[in-house]
Amino acid sequence: MGKTLSYILLLLALASCGTGIESTTAVSEKQARKELAQYKGPKAVPSLRLEPDSVAHWQAGKQFYVTDDQVRLIFTHSDAYNPDTLHLGGHVLSYAGYDTGSVLDNRHDVTLKFSDGAHTYGIATGKTLAELHSDYTLPFMIDMDVVRQVSSQLVGHDYYIKTRIWYNPATEEMIDGRQFIKVHIDSVLPGNKVLPLKVMFTASDNRERAMLWLSTGASAMHSRDFDSMFARQDLHLSYPNISDENWQRIVHGQIALEMTKEECRLAMGNPSSINQLPDQTGLKEYWYYDGGRFLYFQDGILKKFRK
């Protein structure tokens, strides 16, 4: 598709140049968006099967991991405890049922109750029981049933990781990882208040242990869901024309002159914008990334870059 579009744009540029003098015109924003869209690919059915219950089906004792001490900010007032002294981050609370109250429009809004064994905490939802669907989530709390569902599907299996953003399991600090290599999933744990799943894995090539955070289907961060982070098959098999040398560059997120657009995309990810400049000598193309990085291609071959 990229080559076909490039040739069409080149012919258009040449046709508009009746004087024989070189005329370089930037491709329209609409055309650039079309070119960029080809790299996103079709939407696929999610690989993970998650079946959370609606609140009406929650059973007493259902567990929730608390990600942050700030959970106290969403508790209803109680004389039984001082919220400023609560430190519940890292603890597990058990569901203890719900109460309903009436408001002016006669809606019976639900207050959920959770216990740590010492106190019971209320969380006012502002919704009726019928409105608390299976995708309902609580701030600063992670449904441990979801963690167990993901764990049962992933742990003990091998996948090919699609990101170089790895984290040290001990310190949770970012480390420089490798992409498109086989890893073994060791465990799935509750994550943080933004990304609810923490996946621990071991690299198959050098046994390095690392981790990353994932979103779930209920999260808006689809760029961090399972299918964005992992593949079931070796992606190198889908690109037989890429040399082993260039594939190793791609694995480490590196590029080199004379690499193709596809090789650069695999190494660095999709650009944030594209600018195409057709003229009589061929198609010139700039890919722009955040932080001032750019790649410059001539007829699909990398000729200059700032990375």
Side-chain angles (χ1 to χ4, degrees):
M1 176 179 175
K3 290 183 177 180
T4 302
L5 177 62
S6 299
Y7 290 141
I8 292 173
L9 295 174
L10 179 57
L11 291 173
L12 289 174
L14 292 174
S16 66
C17 185
T19 63
I21 300 174
E22 180 176 334
S23 174
T24 302
T25 306
V27 172
S28 72
E29 182 180 351
K30 180 178 178 180
Q31 291 169 313
R33 285 200 305 268
K34 183 178 179 182
E35 175 78 6
L36 184 57
Q38 71 171 305
Y39 299 116
K40 298 183 185 298
K43 292 184 178 179
V45 176
S47 297
L48 288 181
R49 301 179 305 279
L50 300 179
E51 299 177 351
D53 291 326
S54 62
V55 175
H57 292 90
W58 288 4
Q59 299 295 316
K62 179 180 175 66
Q63 295 180 319
F64 290 82
Y65 176 83
V66 180
T67 63
D68 197 296
D69 284 344
Q70 289 182 309
V71 71
R72 62 176 178 260
L73 300 177
I74 65 173
F75 291 161
T76 57
H77 175 75
S78 175
D79 294 330
Y81 56 83
N82 179 359
D84 294 333
T85 64
L86 293 177
H87 299 285
L88 296 175
H91 292 258
V92 174
L93 300 182
S94 297
Y95 177 60
Y98 65 89
D99 294 326
T100 57
S102 297
V103 292
L104 293 178
D105 60 0
N106 204 33
R107 285 166 47 91
H108 296 282
D109 61 316
V110 169
T111 295
L112 302 174
K113 297 188 297 183
F114 299 88
S115 173
D116 62 358
H119 301 290
T120 298
Y121 310 100
I123 298 177
T125 65
K127 298 178 180 292
T128 66
L129 190 62
E131 293 173 328
L132 297 174
H133 305 297
S134 59
D135 59 353
Y136 179 72
T137 57
L138 291 159
F140 313 114
M141 297 174 67
I142 296 172
D143 186 341
M144 288 301 296
D145 285 341
V146 172
V147 177
R148 283 187 280 267
Q149 286 181 27
V150 174
S151 179
S152 68
Q153 295 175 63
L154 300 187
V155 172
H157 297 284
D158 294 335
Y159 299 96
Y160 289 84
I161 194 164
K162 295 162 67 176
T163 178
R164 294 175 51 246
I165 303 175
W166 296 10
Y167 293 85
N168 184 308
T171 65
E172 297 190 348
E173 295 178 347
M174 187 184 295
I175 58 178
D176 190 16
R178 285 153 288 139
Q179 58 188 353
F180 308 132
I181 68 166
K182 183 188 290 185
V183 299
H184 182 81
I185 307 298
D186 300 314
S187 62
V188 177
L189 304 172
N192 57 43
K193 60 185 177 183
V194 177
L195 296 166
L197 301 173
K198 182 163 65 174
V199 178
M200 318 291 286
F201 60 88
T202 301
S204 61
D205 56 356
N206 64 0
R207 311 306 300 170
E208 180 181 10
R209 298 192 71 247
M211 55 161 281
L212 54 78
W213 284 278
L214 291 184
S215 67
T216 64
S219 171
M221 298 188 65
H222 296 297
S223 63
R224 300 292 298 180
D225 64 15
F226 173 79
D227 292 307
S228 297
M229 296 290 101
F230 293 98
R232 297 183 182 275
Q233 303 294 329
D234 184 356
L235 294 180
H236 195 185
L237 299 178
S238 300
Y239 301 95
N241 294 328
I242 297 180
S243 67
D244 290 341
E245 181 182 11
N246 277 348
W247 190 257
Q248 283 305 306
R249 290 191 176 105
I250 291 168
V251 164
H252 291 87
Q254 300 172 353
I255 57 176
L257 298 180
E258 304 303 314
M259 288 177 68
T260 66
K261 291 197 297 183
E262 186 68 4
E263 290 169 339
C264 292
R265 183 187 67 82
L266 288 167
M268 295 185 59
N270 294 333
S272 57
S273 64
I274 293 175
N275 190 21
Q276 294 176 327
L277 305 169
D279 60 29
Q280 292 94 327
T281 63
L283 181 67
K284 301 176 181 178
E285 188 167 330
Y286 285 89
W287 286 10
Y288 297 100
Y289 292 83
D290 294 339
R293 299 174 297 162
F294 74 84
L295 309 182
Y296 170 67
F297 299 92
Q298 290 184 4
D299 293 328
I301 302 300
L302 184 65
K303 295 300 182 180
K304 183 171 63 174
F305 62 89
R306 182 169 67 199
K307 184 175 183 296

